Amino acid sequence: MKVLVEVQSSLTDATTEKFAGRFFHDKGNLFLSWVAPDEISDLRQPNAPVTESTYTIEYTAARHLLTMRREGVVTSNLSFIEGQKTKGVLSTDQGDFAMEIMTKKILIPGAIGPQAVLTYDILYPGQEPMENVLRISLTIANSTNSL
């Protein structure tokens, strides 16, 4: 179904916007995708066009596994299992950065409306853990939402 996606991260001070997306759920499994402008422009080319990234989140209930992918100028592939440490990769034009992720909490509501919440630490070698609380809100799109 068509939805509006709003994402808030405790790692950024960015104002939240809503983006057109697609949502599917069946038997506790879910799939969500949306496209959003990249938040970092290319400083070497001030007049460069705005680029976009595609975000995809999949949750497999039987495995309690949430995967989050970003494809664009920056590419990432992250996996989350509550109470476990997993590995992820962030790829930029500067290279690939391996990380570990310690997932503290995955809250997936049973219906559209309440926020989904993902709380985790990003662990880069030799650095202090960076905690992130990611909140994702969905609203069903209608003709007035311009989807």
Side-chain angles (χ1 to χ4, degrees):
M1 81 178 66
K2 292 181 179 182
V3 294
L4 293 178
V5 181
E6 183 176 2
V7 180
Q8 298 173 310
S9 169
S10 63
L11 291 177
T12 66
D13 294 329
T15 58
T16 60
E17 296 180 49
K18 291 185 179 183
F19 302 102
R22 297 225 175 249
F23 176 72
F24 173 77
H25 65 93
D26 181 44
K27 299 178 184 160
N29 301 315
L30 66 84
F31 174 85
L32 173 65
S33 69
W34 71 96
V35 175
D38 290 318
E39 65 274 0
I40 300 172
S41 61
D42 189 341
L43 299 177
R44 296 166 294 200
Q45 298 177 358
N47 296 323
V50 174
T51 58
E52 294 181 324
S53 289
T54 300
Y55 296 83
T56 305
I57 295 175
E58 295 181 60
Y59 180 71
T60 306
R63 295 179 56 203
H64 304 286
L65 171 67
L66 187 141
T67 57
M68 186 166 35
R69 287 185 294 282
R70 174 182 178 174
E71 296 178 9
V73 174
V74 173
T75 301
S76 63
N77 191 358
L78 310 175
S79 297
F80 305 88
I81 300 173
E82 191 170 311
Q84 294 187 25
K85 195 181 286 187
T86 55
K87 297 190 183 296
V89 175
L90 176 71
S91 300
T92 71
D93 61 352
Q94 303 297 313
D96 294 342
F97 301 92
M99 68 183 83
E100 290 185 317
I101 302 155
M102 180 61 207
T103 306
K104 297 176 178 179
K105 185 75 177 165
I106 299 174
L107 175 63
I108 306 290
I112 289 182
Q115 286 184 340
V117 180
L118 177 61
T119 306
Y120 59 95
D121 287 337
I122 299 172
L123 309 167
Y124 286 110
Q127 295 185 19
E128 290 294 316
M130 294 184 297
E131 183 180 65
N132 190 23
V133 179
L134 193 66
R135 298 177 187 281
I136 302 171
S137 301
L138 302 180
T139 52
I140 297 173
N142 58 41
S143 59
T144 61
N145 294 129
S146 301
L147 273 180

